[in-house]
Amino acid sequence: MSSSPLFTSQPSAPPISRPPNLSPPSSHRPTPEKLAFLLDKSRNLNQVLQLHAVILRQGHECNPILNFKLQKSYSNVGRLDRSFSLFKRTANPDVFLYTAIINAHSSRGLHSQTFELYVEMLSQGVEPNAFTFSSLLKSCLIKDGVLLHCQAIKFGFDGDLFVRTGLLDVYAKGGDVWSARQLFDTMSERSLVASTAMLTCFAKHGHLDDARVLFDGMEEKDVVCWNVMIDGYSQHGRPNDALVLFHQMLKEKLKPTEITVLSVLSACGQLGALELGKWVHSYIVNNRIQVNVHVGTALIDMYAKCGSLEDARIVFDGIMGKDVVAWNSMIVGYAMHGFSQEALELFDELCRKKFRPTDITFIGVLNACAHGGLVSEGKALFSLMKEVYDLEPKVEHYGCMVNLLGRAGHLEEAYNLIKDMNVDPDPVLWGTLLGACRLYGNTSLGEEIAKYLVNENLANDGTYVLLSNIYAGVGNWDGVAKVRAMMKERGIQKEPGCSSIEVNNKVHEFLAGDLRHPKSKNIYMMLEEINQWLKAHEYSPRTETVLRDIEESEKKQSLGVHSERLAIAFGLISTSPGTTIKIVKNLRVCSDCHTVTKLISKITGRRIVVRDRNRFHHFENGICSCGDYW
Ligand code: ZN
Ligand code: ZN
């Protein structure tokens, strides 16, 4: 049948078999060409059904082109069932019919049916063409991708640009960066689709430098490529690079989309870059990018992380049709800043409005209780979560509870909670309890936990540091030395501290003891001045927090250049008196820097806001909002 000439006039059924009133005069009968044209134009089921009726009436049902187009049209108007039964009724379907039905199944993500059809096609002796492979690859999984790759080679289509791009996409989505790259590197010409697939593969799997080389080398780049690159940086802890690229994108007169804006706001939040974040917000408003619930939630998150809860709340109040995710961002924002009461009030409102809180909501309110030392409220919420909302607590919720109990000095209760929980405790959870042991000087429980962690291979750099701090806190320098030797032996290195500060729309980053900043000389002069003030205020550093069994003087020196101190010193010399200094730190603030920052806020009359790994500290007039409890 596939060999029959196109649009042959099939012998018509005798006119008598049709109701005469429905039969158009033969001069007005649409030709097969006209019917094919009309099928291409059909947009809904009704039109296709009418054309199908005409085809049957005129006895064109065996016309291969009309049959093919009818099968496609049914699929296009969402009736795969009719398309499939038409296919099944066709005797000896050819490669075009097989490919069309395979494509229809593949586009709907029906993996197994797609492959059954392919196998049937091969068993009928019908050879695939390049389009068959492109169709099969559309929705296939990586394991099938490898099989299809072999098949494509067997049938000689592995050099086809579309087949290669399809294969590349399968490998890229399946996370096989190596195979994707092999294919990409050996492509004679690269379409934008292939380059974008490769770029996405690199950027999502964190191969950002490879992605950047590819990105820079692409002759044509659409907004999708820019988004992939910016988002890659933002998602993989390189927010500064994300922002630099965003500026470049604007310079090249490309119009950011909602996805760009979401990535950039996340980058601003990570850096605590409030001015940039505000600028992006006004850009959104001026360019009429809709502040829908996604953009709104990203703005709340950005403002909360950049220390401006007032702005976060304004955005929150302005979002139409808020979902629970938006509520969660605001609650988590309040909790992060230690505004426990506000977080709990918002939670009550959420419940009154009949929203169903999620596990993130509970992380927010439990954290609020932990930061506010609200033990009974926290316990009540923890059981509300389980009993009323039927949410199984995750390790994060236990983390909040251990934090809450530990900080309030209920160390044994916290320890028992961890021992009795249904999920595997992670090092962070134990670290929290170790931190509480340090706070309360409970060396024996601290040691017991630390030993368990080391034996079970659960210890991480943070655990060792905490254990060492527990020993140092009670003056057990042998213990400190032992931990240090263990860390060396196991090749564990302390994550380097890094602090950033935004000045004049630029984010400046500092590592401990950093000398790279162009204003280093002035920064260190300022630090020296700070040390003189501290001396005048009879301050002596708490050296036990330094993980080193070194000479006292050296310890003092190494404290003097913790990254947040460099950032604060830079803030002092580069902003006008009275300006609030905002710092973002990747690790927890050490107790010595905490004390020093309190003193600096008192001496200089500046507000200093520090976001550390755990929470916000608002230092003002010698006092911190955390109540020395973090
Ligand atoms: Zn410090
Ligand atoms: Zn604090």
Side-chain angles (χ1 to χ4, degrees), residues 170-196:
V170 171
Y171 285 127
K173 285 195 179 119
D176 187 345
V177 185
W178 189 84
S179 299
R181 191 178 194 150
Q182 286 288 106
L183 270 172
F184 186 73
D185 286 347
T186 52
M187 275 168 106
S188 54
E189 53 173 322
R190 291 165 183 171
S191 63
L192 181 62
V193 179
S195 299
T196 308

Side-chain angles (χ1 to χ4, degrees), residues 495-500 511 563 584-588 611-614:
E495 186 183 341
C498 176
S499 297
S500 60
L511 297 171
S563 62
V584 174
K585 192 180 182 194
N586 64 335
L587 306 175
R588 276 188 195 215
R611 185 182 102 197
D612 74 2
R613 177 176 272 181
N614 242 22

Side-chain angles (χ1 to χ4, degrees), residues 545 558-565 585 588-594:
T545 52
S558 120
L559 276 178
V561 288
H562 272 186
S563 62
E564 61 266 54
R565 306 243 190 137
K585 192 180 182 194
R588 276 188 195 215
V589 176
C590 79
S591 56
D592 188 64
C593 287
H594 196 265

Side-chain angles (χ1 to χ4, degrees), residues 589 594-595 598 610 612 615-619 623-630:
V589 176
H594 196 265
T595 312
K598 284 198 291 187
V610 178
D612 74 2
R615 60 165 295 151
F616 272 90
H617 302 262
H618 295 253
F619 297 93
I623 296 169
C624 180
S625 62
C626 73
D628 300 335
Y629 192 70
W630 75 99

Side-chain angles (χ1 to χ4, degrees), residues 527-546:
L527 275 180
E528 199 39 53
E529 203 175 314
I530 292 173
N531 286 339
Q532 296 305 323
W533 293 339
L534 296 175
K535 259 195 203 139
H537 287 77
E538 290 177 351
Y539 156 80
S540 74
R542 291 186 54 175
T543 43
E544 86 271 13
T545 52
V546 186

Side-chain angles (χ1 to χ4, degrees), residues 453-455 457 459 464 485-493:
L453 294 183
V454 171
N455 288 340
N457 247 338
Y464 283 102
M486 249 161 29
M487 286 176 76
K488 215 172 170 182
E489 187 190 316
R490 288 165 190 243
I492 292 166
Q493 281 183 333

